[in-house]
Amino acid sequence: MNSERGRNLLAAAAGLTALVAIVSFVAVVVLAASGRTATDYQGYNLSRPWFDGIAWDWFLDMFNQPSVKPQEVGTFQAFPDNSVPRTGREAFIPPTAMMDGRLQRDVQPLNPQPATPESLVEGRVLFETYCGPCHGLNGEGGTPVVLKGMPAPPVQPLLGFLSEPHLYNKILYGGPIMPAYGYQTTQAERWHMVNYMKSAKFGKGGSP
Ligand code: HEC
């Protein structure tokens, strides 16, 4: 008797809930349809913004900035001023990426910095700062750090064989043991070091 009454109550409650849901859905649809005015591309009502009904000036500032709007015609090649970064940054070349059967890091990127005397001086100072402690100022290894167990090889005999992009990426990414110097150095500084390592002045000492 009791359980039957409970079941009846439960059924009534479920019916009522379904009814309320249907009525509110219909109400929302009817209200939405009747209130249709100018909307933006996402369907927001522009004359009565959705949160407090007041059309604040700044409400659409984020939308109304220089940018290519969805579906806008004729903007694909002509981006509005200041809407797209144009100086950019160097492309990320994953250390193991292949290109034409070779490691891409042995082929790219290409050195944009001519090996001017200034570049070689700059490169020498940077090499002696960042690389010298392990590889030696003249690239012949045997530094105190190596004697303590860091297996940094003499790089002097390798520099003739290693490509400029390889050396650049070696600084940028480091190696299995060698630390990366990408964060400490700028793009230009890395090319200065490459120029110095590839020059006849490398490891000759004397005043820079
Ligand atoms: C903390 C010690 C350390 C410092 C500093 C260091 N290296 Fe190395 N380097 C190593 C070790 C260890 C290896 C061999 C294993 C490896 O590649 O990780 C190596 C290998 C190399 C090689 C030969 C291997 C290859 O893949 O070409 C080059 C070239 C090289 N380093 C260049 C540099 C340059 C340029 C700098 C300065 C930006 C530098 N290293 C700074 C430890 C160091």
Side-chain angles (χ1 to χ4, degrees), residues 25 78 107 152 171 174:
F25 178 74
V107 188
I171 306 172

Side-chain angles (χ1 to χ4, degrees), residues 54-133:
I54 299 170
W56 300 104
D57 296 346
W58 39 261
F59 221 88
L60 292 164
D61 281 1
M62 287 291 279
F63 180 74
N64 293 328
Q65 59 184 325
S67 59
V68 179
K69 304 290 187 287
Q71 315 259 326
E72 213 169 21
V73 178
T75 49
F76 195 74
Q77 279 86 11
F79 288 100
D81 279 348
N82 304 320
S83 65
V84 179
R86 277 188 259 185
T87 46
R89 52 164 297 180
E90 197 184 2
F92 174 76
I93 298 173
T96 53
M98 299 297 286
M99 188 173 149
D100 299 333
R102 299 173 67 187
L103 276 177
Q104 192 178 348
R105 58 188 284 189
D106 287 344
V107 188
Q108 285 181 337
L110 298 181
N111 189 348
Q113 167 67 50
T116 58
E118 295 77 27
S119 171
L120 297 187
V121 170
E122 186 91 0
R124 177 176 165 182
V125 171
L126 290 161
F127 182 90
E128 292 183 351
T129 305
Y130 289 113
C131 323

Side-chain angles (χ1 to χ4, degrees), residues 90-96 103-109 127 130-131 134-135 150-156 158-159 161-187 189-191 193-195 197-198:
E90 197 184 2
F92 174 76
I93 298 173
T96 53
L103 276 177
Q104 192 178 348
R105 58 188 284 189
D106 287 344
V107 188
Q108 285 181 337
F127 182 90
Y130 289 113
C131 323
C134 285
H135 293 294
M150 168 61 70
V155 287
Q156 157 70 40
L158 305 174
L159 295 179
F161 305 105
L162 298 174
S163 69
E164 292 193 349
H166 173 90
L167 289 173
Y168 179 91
N169 286 309
K170 187 76 191 174
I171 306 172
L172 183 59
Y173 302 118
I177 301 173
M178 179 179 139
Y181 288 90
Y183 286 114
Q184 287 90 332
T185 53
T186 64
Q187 215 169 312
E189 286 173 341
R190 272 170 242 139
W191 288 120
M193 280 191 267
V194 170
N195 284 339
M197 286 189 274
K198 280 298 201 181

Side-chain angles (χ1 to χ4, degrees), residues 20-63:
V20 167
I22 291 168
V23 167
S24 18
F25 178 74
V26 170
V28 164
V29 169
V30 168
L31 279 178
S34 66
R36 250 166 204 267
T37 46
T39 56
D40 76 359
Y41 81 106
Q42 287 178 311
Y44 287 127
N45 182 338
L46 294 178
S47 58
R48 276 177 59 83
W50 56 100
F51 101 125
D52 61 1
I54 299 170
W56 300 104
D57 296 346
W58 39 261
F59 221 88
L60 292 164
D61 281 1
M62 287 291 279
F63 180 74

